[in-house]
Amino acid sequence: MTIGIWILGDQLSQQQAALQSCANQQNVPVIFIESLQYIQARPYHQQKLILIWSAMRHFAQELRQLKYSVTYKIAEDFTTPLQAWVEENGITQLRVMMPNDRPFSQIIQNLDLPCEISLIPNNHFLWNTAEFNNWASGRKRLLMEDFYRAGRRRFQVLMDEDQPIGGKWNLDKENRQPPKGKLNTPPVKWFKPDQITLDVIAQVKSLKIPTYGNLEPFNWGVNRHEALQVLDWFIQHRLSNFGTYQDAMVTGEETLWHGLISPYLNIGLLQPLEVIQAVEAAYKQRQLPLNSVEGFIRQVLGWREYMRGIYHFVDADYPENNWFNHSQPLPEFFWTGETEMNCLHQILTQVQRTGYAHHIQRLMVLSNFALIAGIEPQAIENWFHAAFIDAYDWVMQTNVIGMGLFADGGILASKPYAASANYINKMSDYCKSCVYNHKQRIGENACPFNFFYWDFLHRHREQLKSQGRMSFILKNLDKMSPEELDAIRQQAEDWHTKN
């Protein structure tokens, strides 16, 4: 039997399962394919294309140095180069590590190759699909907090025997401080493009297909060595203050103390357990604040693993969920950033420049606006998938359809994350430089987040009554006159007509 390995663009690790299955064999044929057809599914951010293709080329170079027989193809589709490579190398079994995304699994199933295709279980997560399904099956609720605690116990992270270090599982209440005064944020660990990356930039620049975002400056890391530098930089310079201000949003501060690690985790350049263990070791060696350490570990050990687990646990039609029956089209300014709402303008232009925004910018501004404005869930999910450098099907289906838009009716979140301008004013400085008044609900200067918020609650009151955590908020509708609610509804409708 002659084995060949196909490595996908988000599986760039020497420890990945397909490579490990052939660890004792010499000169194993390996193929990488850049498919020009595949990237036309949506107008992807140009910097994401650069990241993936450059990282693939760097990893191919790494494997050549380890004496693998590497073939690298740029082609229209996957099938044509795979067929030629299989025949040239006399391959009888093609091994591929199981893709994270359902659509790519379908691509592999539809391949017509003159050899056996063997899918090797994915090992880039702490919980495999079977383990997560075993945890989730039979539960009345699938709360992330329950899963997170199970993960802490299972992997003995921040534990004192069977109890959490510090006596509490979750220190989130300490991690919601609004920005105050001069923050003195540390610089970002960026990199200058090498020749491989410059070649990729030129290739992306020459594409004749729709893309999104700025091509340059491109400053992301593209190999494991650089990804490890980003992790070390985060631990040395950012981790200590990460927790306290992780929900803050500040004009001109694109990253604050965030790690910018997700793009590297999501393509295999970093592995979740090594990230968690490095952070925990730094906590013990340097007595770093527990709220920062626990808050970060909860994102990797809890949220990231949970989102991927839910993605494979729910039915295949999950992406079509639309619990509120929202049908408004995606406003054009999501693509251009041209809007007078300063919070949206700041974040959208940042995403254009970098492909990045931190989790509160995504959840409480971008997703929040889409939710209360009644934008179709599939339209906003498609935008998220196209726009972000760390976006994949398994990431965005659950984060946007479930968490951000509550379009699944509560499978994932315990309440809709809907908020008025009051939240944005509290957690950011965006409102200070905005033409709209964050205190006004109606009128020419009223912030759209306000009239959309109250219109959302009013329109969906009956549905929201079934969500226990919403009852207190809904009582505020009773304090508003029918005339004010009518004016709010009219202003929301007028906004959609004009936009």
Side-chain angles (χ1 to χ4, degrees):
M1 181 170 67
T2 303
I3 296 169
I5 299 172
W6 179 20
I7 295 179
L8 309 183
D10 61 349
Q11 301 180 348
L12 309 179
S13 164
Q14 288 184 33
Q15 306 306 313
Q16 67 114 297
L19 282 175
Q20 284 297 297
S21 73
C22 299
N24 298 322
Q25 300 181 38
Q26 297 292 317
N27 300 317
V28 176
V30 173
I31 189 168
F32 295 79
I33 304 169
E34 294 176 15
S35 167
L36 300 177
Q37 188 181 75
Y38 184 70
I39 65 166
Q40 296 179 51
R42 50 182 60 83
Y44 287 109
H45 201 296
Q46 293 186 93
Q47 295 202 23
K48 182 178 184 181
L49 299 179
I50 297 167
L51 171 67
I52 300 301
W53 287 347
S54 181
M56 286 172 66
R57 295 181 191 190
H58 280 89
F59 189 55
Q61 186 181 66
E62 190 179 314
L63 292 186
R64 286 190 186 100
Q65 293 169 354
L66 294 170
K67 307 304 182 187
Y68 285 91
S69 175
V70 177
T71 299
Y72 199 103
K73 294 292 184 181
I74 300 171
E76 280 300 313
D77 59 9
F78 294 114
T79 304
T80 305
L82 278 171
Q83 285 177 334
W85 174 73
V86 165
E87 291 171 4
E88 286 169 13
N89 290 275
I91 289 166
T92 55
Q93 185 186 75
L94 173 64
R95 293 186 183 178
V96 189
M97 186 166 82
M98 182 76 72
N100 287 318
D101 290 354
R102 280 199 185 104
F104 212 100
S105 295
Q106 196 63 50
I107 287 173
I108 293 175
Q109 288 174 23
N110 293 337
L111 287 173
D112 183 16
L113 297 178
C115 68
E116 175 195 353
I117 299 175
S118 177
L119 289 172
I120 311 297
N122 192 299
N123 66 346
H124 277 186
F125 290 82
L126 296 171
W127 295 72
N128 64 38
T129 301
E131 290 167 341
F132 184 90
N133 291 350
N134 185 55
W135 173 84
S137 296
R139 288 178 172 267
K140 290 184 178 179
R141 62 179 194 175
L142 297 176
L143 288 186
M144 197 284 285
E145 184 68 25
D146 296 341
F147 173 74
Y148 169 56
R149 294 182 186 189
R152 290 268 295 272
R153 290 189 182 99
R154 177 181 171 186
F155 297 100
Q156 284 298 294
V157 174
L158 294 179
M159 295 295 290
D160 183 4
E161 295 183 352
D162 63 343
Q163 294 300 313
I165 286 176
K168 293 180 181 179
W169 291 100
N170 186 320
L171 300 176
D172 201 31
K173 289 182 180 178
E174 298 177 33
N175 292 348
R176 297 171 181 165
Q177 294 300 310
K180 296 175 183 176
K182 182 151 181 65
L183 296 174
N184 294 315
T185 54
V188 187
K189 184 63 176 175
W190 290 129
F191 302 91
K192 185 178 179 181
D194 64 5
Q195 190 56 53
I196 290 176
T197 302
L198 289 173
D199 290 345
V200 174
I201 289 172
Q203 180 185 342
V204 172
K205 192 179 291 186
S206 71
L207 290 174
K208 300 294 191 288
I209 61 171
T211 54
Y212 166 74
N214 295 6
L215 185 81
E216 296 175 294
F218 179 86
N219 298 313
W220 295 92
V222 291
N223 57 44
R224 176 160 170 79
H225 176 66
E226 291 176 342
L228 286 168
Q229 288 184 62
V230 173
L231 174 60
D232 183 65
W233 184 266
F234 168 65
I235 291 172
Q236 295 297 326
H237 301 287
R238 294 177 157 235
L239 178 56
S240 60
N241 285 321
F242 166 77
T244 306
Y245 296 113
Q246 72 177 48
D247 287 5
M249 299 174 283
V250 182
T251 304
E253 294 280 1
E254 296 182 340
T255 65
L256 294 166
W257 285 274
H258 289 269
L260 282 75
I261 288 169
S262 58
Y264 310 116
L265 271 172
N266 289 356
I267 61 175
L269 296 183
L270 294 174
Q271 296 300 310
L273 191 58
E274 72 177 341
V275 169
I276 291 164
Q277 289 175 340
V279 167
E280 185 175 22
Y283 162 71
K284 292 176 179 177
Q285 292 163 10
R286 296 168 47 201
Q287 289 77 53
L288 297 175
L290 183 58
N291 66 304
S292 289
V293 172
E294 187 278 320
F296 176 79
I297 285 176
R298 182 156 22 95
Q299 290 191 356
V300 181
L301 176 62
W303 198 247
R304 183 174 183 270
E305 294 284 329
Y306 174 74
M307 284 299 191
R308 191 255 186 170
I310 291 285
Y311 173 81
H312 287 288
F313 181 74
V314 296
D315 294 335
D317 63 355
Y318 183 88
E320 305 310 314
N321 275 317
N322 190 353
W323 197 61
F324 293 115
N325 291 319
H326 284 166
S327 59
Q328 293 291 344
L330 185 74
E332 183 64 21
F333 63 70
F334 267 81
W335 296 108
T336 65
E338 295 174 5
T339 172
E340 291 186 319
M341 285 177 276
N342 190 45
C343 58
L344 285 166
H345 172 72
Q346 293 295 334
I347 296 167
L348 291 168
T349 52
Q350 173 186 320
V351 175
Q352 280 183 318
R353 287 193 302 274
T354 65
Y356 172 81
H358 72 66
H359 66 281
I360 290 298
Q361 292 174 314
R362 300 189 201 199
L363 176 65
M364 298 307 300
V365 182
L366 301 178
S367 293
N368 177 24
F369 181 81
L371 169 64
I372 60 180
I375 295 170
E376 181 196 36
Q378 288 67 38
I380 189 67
E381 189 277 334
N382 185 63
W383 178 84
F384 265 86
H385 195 152
F388 283 99
I389 198 161
D390 55 4
Y392 297 88
D393 202 56
W394 70 268
V395 178
M396 289 308 172
Q397 292 297 338
T398 44
N399 270 292
V400 179
I401 298 292
M403 179 73 171
L405 301 182
F406 206 76
D408 63 5
I411 293 173
L412 192 148
S414 57
K415 72 176 182 68
Y417 280 84
S420 67
N422 183 53
Y423 176 88
I424 298 170
N425 182 58
K426 176 186 174 185
M427 295 307 299
S428 79
D429 67 351
Y430 296 148
C431 299
K432 293 176 183 176
S433 304
C434 189
V435 299
Y436 296 109
N437 188 327
H438 68 272
K439 295 181 179 179
Q440 288 187 15
R441 293 175 182 166
I442 50 177
E444 187 177 341
N445 295 323
C447 176
F449 274 87
N450 288 338
F451 56 75
F452 277 135
Y453 174 71
W454 292 107
D455 181 52
F456 167 77
L457 295 180
H458 184 49
R459 277 185 293 128
H460 298 299
R461 183 169 189 163
E462 290 306 311
Q463 278 176 286
L464 294 171
K465 277 182 182 178
S466 65
Q467 307 302 313
R469 295 180 66 190
M470 294 296 295
S471 57
F472 177 77
I473 296 169
L474 292 173
K475 287 179 182 177
N476 289 319
L477 286 173
D478 298 330
K479 301 173 185 177
M480 300 168 70
S481 68
E483 291 76 20
E484 185 177 10
L485 289 171
D486 285 345
I488 286 171
R489 162 57 66 85
Q490 189 60 54
Q491 190 147 358
E493 289 180 357
D494 290 347
W495 188 95
H496 282 304
T497 301
K498 294 173 184 175
N499 290 274

